Amino acid sequence: MFNLILFGPPGSGKGTQSDKLVEKYGLKHLSTGNLLRQEIADKTPLGIEAKSFMDKGQLVPDEVVIGMVDSYFDQHKGAKGFLFDGFPRTVAQAVALDKLLDLKNTSIASVLALEVSEEELVKRLLNRGKTSGRSDDTNEEVIRKRFAVYINETTPVAEHYKKAKKFIAIKGEGSVNEIFSALCKSIDKKMDRD
Ligand code: AP5
Ligand code: MG
């Protein structure tokens, strides 16, 4: 298996680049944000619980997210590999992911981190909020809260993977295709080495 994490703050282009990467490399796209929004749309108990956190820009509790990832693995047993988008977002999630992959005799190949300035991120998200229907995009206060949560709770995840020498920073500003090329270059290099 070949597993990647696409890492980065809200609005950094994880979803945009994931769509292109899964197509090129034949990986399963595991976006916890998308899975949670589907649960909300289906009005499941998990979705109802998650919505109250997401609307405020807070993280959904670790055990809820980890359980969801575990069942996604169960539903995709023959996968060639996974592209994780928006997960792991806390060190506890990263540790849980390492364990889950270990059980499958696999691990994370690389963590590709998209780097974008905060002003550009706010601009992108407010712009997306005009059409996305995502309640967490329309209010600048909630967007700023998501950044604060990213700094406080998610940046330690970068340290976790830096220690494991898996962390690669990628410039996340420029055209979608330029960023995609930079990501592919890094992935191809890693694939050649393994
Ligand atoms: P999630 O859905 O993961 O959202 P996010 O991380 O806040 O990031 P976004 O999806 O908003 O941005 P993105 O990086 O995917 O960028 P995109 O490609 O869309 O999480 C939402 C919520 O769910 C969280 O706040 C939390 O409550 C909960 N949650 C999810 N996972 C969780 C977890 N693991 N643990 C706990 N809670 C969890 O691009 C953004 C915009 O920019 C788009 O309009 C796009 O068209 C545009 N754009 C993309 N690339 C470019 C470019 N190069 N130039 C200009 N514009 C661009
Ligand atoms: Mg996204």
Side-chain angles (χ1 to χ4, degrees):
M1 283 177 91
F2 187 80
N3 307 296
L4 295 168
I5 295 174
L6 198 52
F7 190 79
S12 56
K14 301 183 297 294
T16 305
Q17 297 295 336
S18 288
D19 290 343
K20 295 169 74 72
L21 291 169
V22 294
E23 197 186 319
K24 175 160 179 176
Y25 295 101
L27 304 172
K28 287 277 165 218
H29 182 198
L30 199 168
S31 157
T32 43
N34 288 353
L35 292 177
L36 289 166
R37 281 184 287 277
Q38 189 58 51
E39 296 280 343
I40 293 175
D42 295 343
K43 299 192 168 62
T44 65
L46 192 157
I48 292 162
E49 185 191 353
K51 189 175 188 317
S52 59
F53 294 97
M54 291 166 77
D55 283 351
K56 286 185 246 156
Q58 293 168 350
L59 293 184
V60 174
D62 285 337
E63 59 275 18
V64 173
V65 175
I66 293 164
M68 210 173 60
V69 169
D70 198 12
S71 62
Y72 189 90
F73 281 159
D74 282 345
Q75 290 155 21
H76 297 86
K77 284 222 161 84
K80 199 171 121 183
F82 294 93
L83 174 66
F84 299 97
D85 158 6
F87 176 85
R89 256 179 155 93
T90 62
V91 173
Q93 290 180 18
V95 170
L97 177 62
D98 288 346
K99 281 195 191 134
L100 287 173
L101 292 177
D102 203 38
L103 287 173
K104 295 175 160 295
N105 292 318
T106 185
S107 61
I108 294 296
S110 299
V111 178
L112 302 161
L114 296 170
E115 297 193 330
V116 181
S117 72
E118 182 164 335
E119 285 329 296
E120 168 72 13
L121 294 171
V122 175
K123 210 169 70 190
R124 286 187 192 178
L125 292 179
L126 284 172
N127 196 36
R128 186 179 64 186
K130 289 179 200 155
T131 54
S132 70
R134 272 181 60 167
S135 55
D136 57 348
D137 278 352
T138 38
N139 178 333
E140 185 164 341
E141 214 176 294
V142 173
I143 292 175
R144 299 267 177 205
K145 172 72 185 168
R146 283 159 66 197
F147 292 141
V149 167
Y150 175 79
I151 300 289
N152 294 331
E153 300 183 52
T154 304
T155 51
V157 174
E159 287 308 314
H160 177 85
Y161 291 108
K162 277 181 191 165
K163 266 190 240 152
K165 303 214 179 327
K166 293 186 172 178
F167 188 89
I168 302 165
I170 305 273
K171 186 170 161 242
E173 294 189 42
S175 75
V176 169
N177 283 335
E178 275 164 5
I179 299 162
F180 181 61
S181 296
L183 289 166
C184 292
K185 215 165 125 189
S186 202
I187 295 168
D188 293 342
K189 211 158 106 190
K190 177 72 191 164
M191 281 179 155
D192 283 347
R193 235 182 295 138
D194 289 350

